[in-house]
Amino acid sequence: MLLSGLTTTKNYAQSGKIFPKIDQRVEFLNIVYYLATDAQIVANPFYFNQVEQYFKPFKKHSCLSYLQEIIRTYQKDSIDIKEWELPSLAVHLNHEMMPAKFTQNKNEIDAWDNRRLVNDKKLTKLLTAFYRQTNVKGFFESQKAYFTAIENQFLQDSVSIDGTWLANYFSLPKSEEYYPIHSLLFGNQAYMRTNFSYQFRHSFTLFGCEKHDHKGMPQCNKTANYHWALLHESIHCYANQIIEADTTTWKKIGLQLLSVQGVMPKVQRTFYGNWRYILYETLVRAIAIKYAQAHQSDLTLINADIEQQKKLGFVWMPDFLACLNRYEQGKNEYKNLMNFSAEMQSFFKNHVSLNK
């Protein structure tokens, strides 16, 4: 499935650059939320003055009334649906703002693949009706030059990820495609996923900007804000499948790692305080360090990163990096990182036994 923004996934991959793009599905739901709540504070007054002008005649639409009910229901639990629930719905829509077809992990529900709102058939039916009856497509067409200008600005400050190095290091096909998205209305920061099958998914990070100039151009230090996340999520596209290929063994190891002295207090209030994500993050953060080493980054910064990972709960990071050295030196034997799984599992088991 292609993103419904201005650039197709094919062109996205060919550009050699990774940067946040405008996704019209996200912007559509931003607009609907704005109209339903009549929000007083938006991150981009220039753009939403135009939104207000265009959509003012439609503020009594039944779609907005129903969304207001949903918003109030979530607010009882102190949840603002514009932060994650609506973006999660957006990435489950097609380019006509209708629900697309996805599957779930056959063994367990993926919490990041949030389908609560997309499963509300009344809501999705009303959203499709609103999209067609108000000619949202025509509004977005009128904003095409503006959207392109924003994407070109991000392109100029984009991050070059050495995809060839990542592909060679893992020697595996990706099990995910990653898309960073820029939100024009609110300063959202969110992570979402859509599972197309047990073996493949799309993942998204949603970035916002709290300050825009008088022409509606984002005023963010984009490279500084996004570089870590863009590399990090690009590595996830290769790394996650290694854990998913043998969840029975890896689950035992992940739970044991969380029981290592001093680890749980550091991770229990983070999203990686569970067996699956502590392993995802271990692999990704270690290989991000390997990436920095391979690209001759500042050694002082690399060592500081290793120490930071230890402080965050990944106390095994220096030793795990040494374990990965064996993979790099024996690449002809292992062929790909999946084939090195048994050695990584042995490393973690030994680490646990030595640090109970």
Side-chain angles (χ1 to χ4, degrees):
M1 183 183 72
L2 298 181
L3 286 179
S4 57
L6 302 178
T7 307
T8 68
T9 54
K10 181 179 179 182
N11 290 334
Y12 186 104
Q14 289 177 338
S15 72
K17 303 282 189 178
I18 297 182
F19 56 97
K21 299 184 184 298
I22 307 300
D23 187 310
Q24 292 182 8
R25 300 168 301 175
V26 170
E27 288 313 312
F28 170 57
L29 292 182
N30 275 346
I31 289 169
V32 173
Y33 178 92
Y34 173 81
L35 296 171
T37 59
D38 210 12
Q40 298 301 307
I41 300 175
V42 294
N44 189 349
F46 168 85
Y47 175 52
F48 274 84
N49 283 341
Q50 298 178 70
V51 170
E52 176 70 22
Q53 250 187 340
Y54 183 89
F55 290 98
K56 191 174 182 178
F58 308 106
K59 284 193 172 183
K60 299 296 184 181
H61 195 282
S62 55
C63 175
L64 305 181
S65 302
Y66 185 59
L67 186 62
Q68 288 167 355
E69 295 178 23
I70 294 173
I71 290 169
R72 286 193 292 269
T73 299
Y74 275 82
Q75 283 176 340
K76 293 176 182 177
D77 294 321
S78 300
I79 297 172
D80 186 343
I81 64 171
K82 78 174 184 296
E83 302 298 333
W84 189 57
E85 284 75 15
L86 279 182
S88 295
L89 168 58
V91 298
H92 286 84
L93 301 178
N94 63 21
H95 66 284
E96 290 294 330
M97 307 304 162
M98 298 174 64
K101 291 184 178 180
F102 301 93
T103 187
Q104 287 280 22
N105 185 320
K106 64 182 179 181
N107 295 319
E108 52 189 292
I109 299 299
D110 180 355
W112 294 106
D113 185 352
N114 178 7
R115 305 187 183 192
R116 185 170 176 183
L117 290 183
V118 78
N119 288 333
D120 186 331
K121 293 183 179 180
K122 180 178 179 180
L123 174 62
T124 56
K125 184 177 180 180
L126 286 169
L127 285 170
T128 303
F130 184 87
Y131 179 78
R132 292 172 177 171
Q133 292 166 12
T134 63
N135 189 23
V136 178
K137 186 182 292 186
F139 173 75
F140 285 146
E141 186 62 28
S142 74
Q143 301 299 311
K144 185 175 181 179
Y146 173 56
F147 291 171
T148 300
I150 290 176
E151 291 194 352
N152 285 340
Q153 177 176 294
F154 279 116
L155 177 60
Q156 291 171 12
D157 296 301
S158 61
V159 174
S160 294
I161 302 295
D162 187 346
T164 300
W165 185 92
L166 290 179
N168 288 339
Y169 192 90
F170 284 92
S171 295
L172 292 167
K174 291 190 289 186
S175 61
E176 301 183 19
E177 290 291 348
Y178 166 57
Y179 303 98
I181 299 170
H182 179 67
S183 173
L184 286 171
L185 174 52
F186 301 101
N188 310 52
Q189 306 288 330
Y191 173 77
M192 300 88 65
R193 289 205 295 240
T194 55
N195 291 312
F196 288 91
S197 70
Y198 178 55
Q199 293 84 16
F200 193 79
R201 65 166 62 114
H202 284 178
S203 57
F204 308 83
T205 44
L206 184 66
F207 299 100
C209 184
E210 296 292 347
K211 186 178 180 183
H212 296 72
D213 68 15
H214 68 286
K215 294 182 179 179
M217 300 302 292
Q219 302 297 291
C220 305
N221 187 340
K222 289 160 283 296
T223 300
N225 287 344
Y226 301 139
H227 182 271
W228 182 87
L230 297 176
L231 174 61
H232 189 91
E233 298 304 332
S234 297
I235 296 172
H236 270 296
C237 292
Y238 292 95
N240 294 354
Q241 62 186 304
I242 294 171
I243 306 304
E244 296 302 323
D246 183 11
T247 54
T248 300
T249 302
W250 280 118
K251 182 174 182 178
K252 292 177 183 177
I253 291 171
L255 292 173
Q256 290 171 343
L257 287 175
L258 291 170
S259 70
V260 169
Q261 186 175 5
V263 172
M264 185 54 77
K266 295 176 181 177
V267 303
Q268 62 186 352
R269 295 184 179 178
T270 69
F271 77 88
Y272 48 87
N274 65 77
W275 75 266
R276 174 175 268 110
Y277 297 124
I278 195 74
L279 290 168
Y280 278 5
E281 291 298 310
T282 292
L283 276 178
V284 169
R285 293 170 190 233
I287 293 168
I289 293 169
K290 288 290 187 180
Y291 181 96
Q293 292 171 337
H295 291 79
Q296 300 180 328
S297 297
D298 188 300
L299 186 59
T300 302
L301 294 177
I302 292 172
N303 289 334
D305 189 4
I306 294 171
E307 289 303 309
Q308 177 67 8
Q309 298 312 319
K310 289 167 62 179
K311 291 178 182 177
L312 292 173
F314 302 92
V315 296
W316 45 82
M317 188 59 69
D319 293 334
F320 183 54
L321 290 168
C323 174
L324 289 175
N325 288 343
R326 299 202 302 273
Y327 165 67
E328 295 162 7
Q329 294 160 4
K331 195 71 183 296
N332 289 336
E333 175 186 356
Y334 296 111
K335 304 298 183 184
N336 60 57
L337 194 56
M338 186 78 77
N339 291 339
F340 192 65
S341 294
E343 286 76 5
M344 290 190 288
Q345 290 168 354
S346 294
F347 163 79
F348 287 119
K349 289 174 184 177
N350 289 336
H351 180 87
V352 170
S353 66
L354 293 172
N355 294 274
K356 289 183 178 179

